[in-house]
Amino acid sequence: MDYLDLPPLLEARGTVRLPGSKSISNRVLLLAALSEGETHIRDLLASDDVERMLDALRILGVDWVHEAGTNDYRVHGVGGAFPVKDAELFLGNAGTAFRPLTAALALSGGRYHLSGVARMHERPIGDLVDALRQIGADIDYLGNDGFPPLQLRPADIRGGGVVRVRGDVSSQFLTALLMALPLTGEEVVIEVVGELISRPYIAITLDLMARFGVSVTHQDWERFVVPGNARYRSPGTVYVEGDASSASYFLAAGAIGGGPVRVEGVGSSSIQGDVRFAEALQQIGAHVAMGDNWIEASAPVSGRLHAFDLDLNHIPDAAMTLAVAALFADGPCRLRNIASWRVKETDRIAAMATELRKVGAVVEEGADYLCVTPPAHLQPATIDTYDDHRMAMCFSLVSLGECRVRINDPKCVNKTFPGYFEAFAGVVRPVPVVAIDGPSASGKGTVGARVAEALGWQHLDSGSLYRLTALSAIQKGVELDDEAALAALASALPARFVGGNVLLGEVDVSDEIREEVCSVGASRVAVLPAVRAALFGRQRDFRKGPGLVAEGRDMGSAIFPDAEVKVFLTASAEARAERRYKQLIEKGLPAKLESLMQDLRERDARDAARAVAPLQQQPDAVLLDTTSMDVDAAVAFVLDLVRGRGLAPG
């Protein structure tokens, strides 16, 4: 699907086993490819970015084997520069593949064409190219200067000496140089110009290089010495840690949604800097516990996170999660020193600001900061993801505010975490819904209201929304076939349900909407697609904790298809007509049994035949025929279903 609808969520609790780290996966693959010997890589991340690296390595002459049924690979290293000297490589939007391969190929003595998706061609690479040219690399831009695509040609590489590279745009430039320069066979000094951002990612690079036999020294993260005569040698087996950036979404879910939520695969022994996201959560009030290979987070006792002002240069990817967590803070929040967001899969500062505003936040955006003021109430929204996996994963957390959210292009998470939404669903609990559908006058309203009262849940009488639309149209002189005008009325309908009564604005119209003219009008407007669309979101917004009892004609089919309990409540036309007749007579309203019965049969036929959400029992709905059953028995039946499924205490 092009979108994914996430329901309002009540809480988050459980355990998640993390997929492998993208940063470690692609680094290990490249180092294994350049090494002498075979490397057995365990728990490699299965994702688009890693697939791009694997495809490229095979094209470049590296033999690797995937062990069926696992995430384990055996890579046969080439012991130096790549053997294939002429190749075209398409690397998608995988920065962790594009940047390091550019450096390694520039030193491999071949002719290579490197390209990616349109966004990859907007991500700067000029600082890396400038650094490689300092040692003789022959690299041309095939589009805009400073950006991919690139053409690399054989060149006389000058080993030794000093190479200077900027450190304030992307740490991937320095990582690429560090991993490639051992191919020169000579000692090379790298001097970082400007502040080095994302130092923890450089720490990952140095740690992994050392595992493959090349130890780089550095002075205050400003001067790095790559030793001469260094060769990569396989360490035999390498385990890929769980992805610490991905851990941030689940830890934040625990901090927002009660918890505890535990992630397995990273912990106190991790080499990834993004494990420090746990420290940031602690600073803003969350309860955090940690072991060697796990981290667990729970919400503050107060229930709300603390407002914060944090320098997040050291955890740029995980910092995005804090931007969404700011929606659940007790005051304005400031995220500082995040300029690197501008050159990621999208301009993440601009994208984050745009999408946070959709859910009601007030956002101030700067060159290297965001200020987020949370709204009093989150607003349902459709979130654009900009082909950026982290945007999709971050904004899933909005649903923990008991707020529905639609994620556009959810498959973009395949870049790093193809099973993300399944894993997220495994640790969250949606606001439960009991959907009671059935024909007119079957007793849905009475049963639904009493079940909601017994459970202490919200109640939605969806039929009343259509009746209210018809009543409003009659009051305003709008024709009942004027679809556009009716949809406008429905979208702004001031409807409320209070104590079993139906209000239009401040006026109790509970009796008025049950009159024949409103009943007929409701049936007419309910078949109009524009009216149904206008009321679609409004009905879903009744889904609030601790739960919702929704009754109507399409609750379990169209509005709440994920309802935990679905009941199709019906009765014979004769029984329904008699009940409606009694109700009207008791209220002193005129009624004829024969005409009521005829009207019900005609309405049943229209409801069953309508093109949009026809009235019918859903396959997963329980049939409840109340022809010979009183209200108390029907209410008890539904309550037993709810409690039997563990949705409410017995």
Side-chain angles (χ1 to χ4, degrees):
M1 292 179 65
D2 293 332
Y3 62 84
L4 175 67
D5 285 332
L6 298 177
L9 302 176
L10 267 186
E11 64 176 7
R13 180 187 302 270
T15 300
V16 176
R17 181 70 187 180
L18 295 169
S21 160
K22 176 188 69 169
S23 298
I24 294 177
S25 291
N26 271 349
R27 283 168 171 82
V28 167
L29 279 174
L30 181 56
L31 293 173
L34 300 176
S35 292
E36 298 173 352
E38 179 184 274
T39 303
H40 189 195
I41 304 175
R42 307 289 296 273
D43 300 328
L44 192 75
L45 173 64
S47 74
D48 287 347
D49 274 24
V50 175
E51 288 294 331
R52 299 289 76 74
M53 178 66 90
L54 285 166
D55 291 345
L57 294 179
R58 177 152 282 166
I59 292 170
L60 294 168
V62 178
D63 184 23
W64 53 262
V65 176
H66 179 206
E67 297 183 356
T70 72
N71 287 328
D72 299 350
Y73 288 74
R74 292 188 181 274
V75 179
H76 301 276
V78 298
F82 293 111
V84 172
K85 301 303 180 184
D86 195 331
E88 290 194 10
L89 303 177
F90 176 80
L91 298 168
N93 199 13
T96 56
F98 203 112
R99 275 74 177 267
L101 280 172
T102 296
L105 291 171
L107 307 184
S108 290
R111 184 179 300 274
Y112 306 103
H113 177 273
L114 279 68
S115 65
V117 299
R119 175 57 186 171
M120 190 74 243
H121 295 172
E122 297 172 349
R123 299 176 67 180
I125 200 169
D127 294 316
L128 175 59
V129 170
D130 290 346
L132 291 167
R133 285 173 173 171
Q134 293 173 41
I135 56 174
D138 186 351
I139 306 174
D140 286 336
Y141 300 112
L142 299 179
N144 295 324
D145 282 357
F147 299 87
L150 304 176
Q151 181 68 53
L152 284 63
R153 299 183 182 85
D156 293 325
I157 300 300
R158 300 182 297 275
V162 176
V163 176
R164 293 178 176 81
V165 64
R166 284 181 61 186
D168 56 355
V169 175
S170 172
S171 64
Q172 288 181 7
F173 302 154
L174 177 55
T175 278
L177 288 172
L178 287 166
M179 290 198 292
L181 286 174
L183 297 178
T184 69
E186 299 184 39
E187 179 179 288
V188 183
V189 175
I190 306 174
E191 292 184 351
V192 178
V193 179
E195 179 187 7
L196 176 59
I197 63 173
S198 306
R199 290 181 185 178
Y201 286 98
I202 301 303
I204 293 174
T205 302
L206 299 182
D207 184 285
L208 294 175
M209 288 177 67
R211 294 191 200 183
F212 282 85
V214 177
S215 296
V216 175
T217 59
H218 71 86
Q219 299 173 1
D220 298 326
W221 303 95
E222 297 174 350
R223 191 173 189 270
F224 297 78
V225 180
V226 179
N229 299 315
R231 296 182 67 83
Y232 290 121
R233 293 178 176 84
S234 171
T237 299
V238 176
Y239 288 84
V240 176
E241 290 182 9
D243 189 79
S245 300
S246 296
S248 69
Y249 315 118
F250 299 100
L251 295 174
I256 295 166
V261 173
R262 175 175 291 201
V263 295
E264 296 178 344
V266 294
S268 57
S269 62
S270 174
I271 65 172
Q272 298 171 75
D274 273 359
V275 295
R276 293 183 62 188
F277 177 81
E279 297 176 10
L281 280 184
Q282 280 185 309
Q283 290 180 48
I284 63 176
H287 293 281
V288 177
M290 185 181 299
D292 285 346
N293 197 44
W294 59 269
I295 310 173
E296 187 174 275
S298 302
V301 174
S302 66
R304 287 193 75 85
L305 299 171
H306 305 326
F308 60 84
D309 183 341
L310 296 174
D311 184 327
L312 298 168
N313 178 269
H314 59 296
I315 53 169
D317 286 343
M320 293 179 68
T321 312
L322 285 172
V324 176
L327 296 171
F328 300 89
D330 57 12
C333 301
R334 187 178 185 91
L335 298 85
R336 291 183 284 107
N337 209 358
I338 53 172
S340 64
W341 285 18
R342 297 282 189 191
V343 295
K344 296 287 188 175
E345 282 81 345
T346 187
D347 180 342
R348 286 175 170 169
I349 291 181
M352 186 64 73
T354 298
E355 304 309 310
L356 287 171
R357 291 182 183 118
K358 286 183 180 179
V359 299
V362 176
V363 183
E364 179 187 341
E365 168 192 345
D368 66 346
Y369 72 88
L370 276 179
C371 290
V372 182
T373 301
H377 301 286
L378 291 172
Q379 301 171 6
T382 296
I383 301 299
D384 292 314
T385 51
Y386 309 84
D387 196 26
D388 187 339
H389 56 133
R390 301 209 183 280
M391 290 292 293
M393 293 186 278
C394 281
F395 275 91
S396 65
L397 298 171
V398 172
S399 55
L400 283 163
E402 295 189 20
C403 178
R404 60 186 173 88
V405 60
R406 172 170 288 184
I407 305 293
N408 280 337
D409 189 25
K411 65 182 181 298
C412 67
V413 301
N414 292 345
K415 180 178 175 68
T416 53
F417 200 158
Y420 172 76
F421 287 108
E422 292 79 5
F424 184 67
V427 296
V428 297
R429 185 164 74 93
V431 173
V433 175
V434 175
I436 304 176
D437 289 314
S440 180
S442 58
K444 303 184 303 295
T446 303
V447 172
R450 286 187 51 180
V451 169
E453 183 180 12
L455 295 172
W457 288 10
Q458 311 293 324
H459 176 223
L460 166 61
D461 174 1
S462 69
S464 290
L465 294 178
Y466 290 98
R467 291 172 180 270
L468 286 168
T469 301
L471 175 61
S472 183
I474 293 167
Q475 291 176 344
K476 296 179 182 298
V478 175
E479 296 294 331
L480 294 182
D481 59 358
D482 188 341
E483 187 170 356
L486 289 168
L489 282 178
S491 65
L493 203 63
R496 291 188 297 141
F497 301 97
V498 180
N501 296 321
V502 181
L503 277 67
L504 184 61
E506 299 301 320
V507 181
D508 187 338
V509 293
S510 305
D511 292 335
E512 195 171 354
I513 62 171
R514 296 295 171 186
E515 293 177 2
E516 192 67 13
V517 64
C518 278
S519 296
V520 173
S523 191
R524 289 179 62 184
V525 302
V527 301
L528 301 175
V531 174
R532 299 187 67 81
L535 291 176
F536 186 83
R538 172 159 300 189
Q539 292 174 88
R540 286 189 160 186
D541 290 339
F542 278 86
R543 190 174 189 171
K544 301 290 185 183
L548 170 67
V549 178
E551 43 93 357
R553 288 176 175 78
D554 59 359
M555 293 297 96
S557 58
I559 308 302
F560 301 108
D562 62 336
E564 289 85 345
V565 174
K566 296 181 184 179
V567 176
F568 191 81
L569 194 153
T570 189
S572 67
E574 291 80 6
R576 289 184 285 133
E578 288 177 5
R579 291 170 186 171
R580 177 60 56 83
Y581 178 78
K582 273 186 188 178
Q583 288 176 344
L584 294 174
I585 294 300
E586 287 174 358
K587 293 179 179 180
L589 299 173
K592 292 183 179 181
L593 186 60
E594 295 79 7
S595 62
L596 286 173
M597 190 176 304
Q598 179 64 26
D599 176 63
L600 285 172
R601 285 174 174 153
E602 291 176 357
R603 195 174 309 171
D604 288 350
R606 287 197 303 271
D607 288 342
R610 66 191 184 195
V612 181
L615 175 64
Q616 57 187 8
Q617 181 183 348
Q618 295 302 296
D620 55 346
V622 177
L623 179 65
L624 177 58
D625 189 327
T626 65
T627 300
S628 57
M629 181 183 290
D630 64 19
V631 173
D632 289 342
V635 170
F637 181 91
V638 177
L639 288 173
D640 285 345
L641 280 178
V642 175
R643 290 164 177 157
R645 298 185 186 182
L647 301 176

